[in-house]
Amino acid sequence: MSAREEPVDIVVEERRLAGTLITPDKRIPGFLFVHGWADSQKRYLVRAREIAALGCVCLTFDLQGHAETEHDQDNVTREDNLKDVLAAFDLLAKHEAVDRNKIGVIGTSYGGYLAAITTQLRPVRWLGLRVPALYLDEDWNTPKSQLDKKKIATYRRGPVGPGENRALSACARFKGDVLIVESEKDDIVPHPTITNFREAFENAHSLTYRVIADADHALSEQNWQEAYTSTLLNWATEMVVGSREEGDTPQALTEMRPGPTRGPPKPA
Amino acid sequence: MSAREEPVDIVVEERRLAGTLITPDKRIPGFLFVHGWADSQKRYLVRAREIAALGCVCLTFDLQGHAETEHDQDNVTREDNLKDVLAAFDLLAKHEAVDRNKIGVIGTSYGGYLAAITTQLRPVRWLGLRVPALYLDEDWNTPKSQLDKKKIATYRRGPVGPGENRALSACARFKGDVLIVESEKDDIVPHPTITNFREAFENAHSLTYRVIADADHALSEQNWQEAYTSTLLNWATEMVVGSREEGDTPQALTEMRPGPTRGPPKPA
């Protein structure tokens, strides 16, 4: 219980009544939103507002090579964009209202891939992945737009384990709570990729997996967007309210420290 | 939208990314719990903790004539206990963290009766009534324990309108959101009393009415207690999250001012 509970006297004329005042933590959870490739923060504002209404600080942002810096899209590498996510995370974590032990990262597609890697570099407690993309570890510093698209498409259709992929390795070590949302008719991030992610989270504190029926990768129909918003909001509510009830810093985060992010997930 | 939304620059090495930071209101909702006759604050602490976990300040307290002041139970009047509720409300409303426009009062049985009357004397936004009791207006300053129990039991079995009862009159003028929870097998507050309350709320912003199947007045079985806790928590979540999304002071409260609490609910 992180709330403070204190006895108070209620004065009524010459009488005093015994009361108990319960106040929640002053510091509140934070959520970072990472958009997908060729998208921008714009679309995420509505969801960020809804999660802020749970009593959280939310941060959306434009990755380098997008929105105002779209002119740079052909040059930007995964390393560049990972640095962007880390910088955004740090800005959120430094916010005076934010409880550093209660930060969630929510990413879509390429943003989900970056979010997954971020869990090994920053103390992420909650990880929300919508149609998370997968890339080969090789050519990490090659501009993202120059990666071999055919090779990636093939890679996404086969089984990939945590030992052979940086993002999945991060998932395998992640000890927080996970949401994975799949689009049933996704040509870009097909079912086998989602399965690779799901199977990777062997140490997660909880896993919530949902499929949006009939939906495509971009959730191009309004009702698919709404289904995702509702799923995300329910999950965030459960996480935020649950964390306020339990209060203490979860073991997963106190144990976490910066370190190598590659290699097999466990010494075994 | 009561949250603050501001553009922020995220600095990554020599680059700057455009971000949007959304922070919720610093002031948060408050909830006051009013226990029933011959009970105490003790039983309400668990629910108060759960609602505090939604990011609210909660206050429970012992009415005069109960717990530490039980020796006074035979002398205490409704006027005394109403003053207790108002004093407790004022203590909560004055708390630095509490948004005065977002205060809920939750009462059981006699506590529900007092909570209903409170809506006409203080700016209550949310009113939660479990098995709210009804008393004749007469003998207001007679010790509560000396009221004619047979007469009250008969009164609770018949139709009573807002024009003839102080608590129902307050309900009829109340413009906030209401939760009414009935116990299906309640000998003390029978179904007609609940109906009188339900029908009185003609100006309520919303009404949520639930019956706990098979339950008695005191919710003497654990699963009935749990059903009530879950109903209360769902309702409070909807109210609190909804108010954070919408933000502005509802018309009902800005219009409200202290005034007479008797008489017909509307000039008509």
Side-chain angles (χ1 to χ4, degrees), chain A residues 109-143:
Chain A
S109 194
Y110 177 58
Y113 170 78
L114 296 172
I117 296 171
T118 299
T119 61
Q120 279 307 298
L121 302 168
R122 292 295 183 273
V124 176
R125 173 152 178 184
W126 300 301
L127 179 64
L129 304 177
R130 189 177 83 71
V131 294
L134 215 46
Y135 301 85
L136 289 94
D137 284 356
E138 61 191 40
D139 302 322
W140 178 256
N141 284 303
T142 300

Side-chain angles (χ1 to χ4, degrees), chain B:
Chain B
M1 185 66 201
S2 60
R4 211 176 54 221
E5 207 166 309
E6 53 186 331
V8 286
D9 273 355
I10 299 165
V11 181
V12 191
E13 292 164 354
E14 76 293 354
R15 298 180 280 118
R16 275 172 189 278
L17 305 174
T20 309
L21 192 67
I22 306 172
T23 41
D25 267 352
K26 280 194 180 159
R27 291 214 276 182
I28 59 180
F31 281 89
L32 176 66
F33 292 78
V34 189
H35 67 73
W37 184 256
D39 200 355
S40 79
Q41 63 174 322
K42 220 171 172 180
R43 193 197 297 268
Y44 298 81
L45 279 171
V46 175
R47 289 177 192 121
R49 283 179 198 127
E50 298 214 26
I51 291 182
L54 300 173
C56 303
V57 178
C58 289
L59 178 61
T60 64
F61 70 106
D62 296 320
L63 289 166
Q64 181 71 18
H66 296 77
E68 283 169 33
T69 61
E70 202 181 338
H71 55 83
D72 199 31
Q73 196 167 100
D74 285 345
N75 307 315
V76 79
T77 66
R78 284 177 283 173
E79 178 67 15
D80 294 331
N81 285 154
L82 180 60
K83 279 182 185 155
D84 296 348
V85 178
L86 299 180
F89 184 99
D90 293 343
L91 186 139
L92 182 64
K94 262 186 272 178
H95 190 286
E96 53 167 15
V98 170
D99 182 340
R100 279 197 60 119
N101 290 314
K102 295 185 183 174
I103 299 183
V105 181
I106 292 165
T108 295
S109 193
Y110 177 58
Y113 170 77
L114 296 172
I117 296 171
T118 299
T119 61
Q120 278 307 298
L121 303 167
R122 292 296 184 274
V124 176
R125 173 152 180 184
W126 300 301
L127 179 64
L129 304 176
R130 189 177 83 69
V131 294
L134 215 48
Y135 301 85
L136 288 94
D137 284 358
E138 61 191 43
D139 302 323
W140 178 256
N141 285 303
T142 298
K144 199 268 188 194
S145 64
Q146 288 172 34
L147 297 176
D148 184 335
K149 288 179 186 59
K150 269 195 183 165
K151 206 169 162 184
I152 291 172
T154 308
Y155 189 62
R156 290 182 184 169
R157 287 191 153 73
V160 185
E164 36 184 340
N165 183 283
R166 181 173 185 180
L168 296 178
S169 157
C171 295
R173 291 159 180 262
F174 183 59
K175 294 184 176 174
D177 300 275
V178 181
L179 170 70
I180 300 177
V181 180
E182 177 177 350
S183 285
E184 195 186 23
K185 294 181 179 160
D186 193 329
D187 295 329
I188 296 162
V189 174
H191 185 68
T193 295
I194 300 294
T195 303
N196 290 335
F197 272 98
R198 276 183 60 186
E199 290 181 353
F201 285 108
E202 55 196 273
N203 286 300
H205 179 253
S206 75
L207 176 70
T208 304
Y209 164 62
R210 297 288 183 273
V211 180
I212 302 180
D214 291 324
D216 58 12
H217 186 71
L219 301 183
S220 56
E221 290 191 8
Q222 183 62 19
N223 59 328
W224 299 334
Q225 290 281 346
E226 284 164 9
Y228 173 51
T229 301
S230 149
T231 296
L232 179 64
L233 202 65
N234 285 342
W235 177 72
T237 304
E238 185 186 338
M239 296 302 124
V240 167
V241 172
S243 78
R244 286 207 188 101
E245 281 174 346
E246 132 230 311
D248 297 328
T249 304
Q251 195 61 10
L253 293 181
T254 52
E255 272 176 10
M256 215 202 97
R257 53 195 175 277
T261 62
R262 308 289 286 268
K266 285 197 296 189

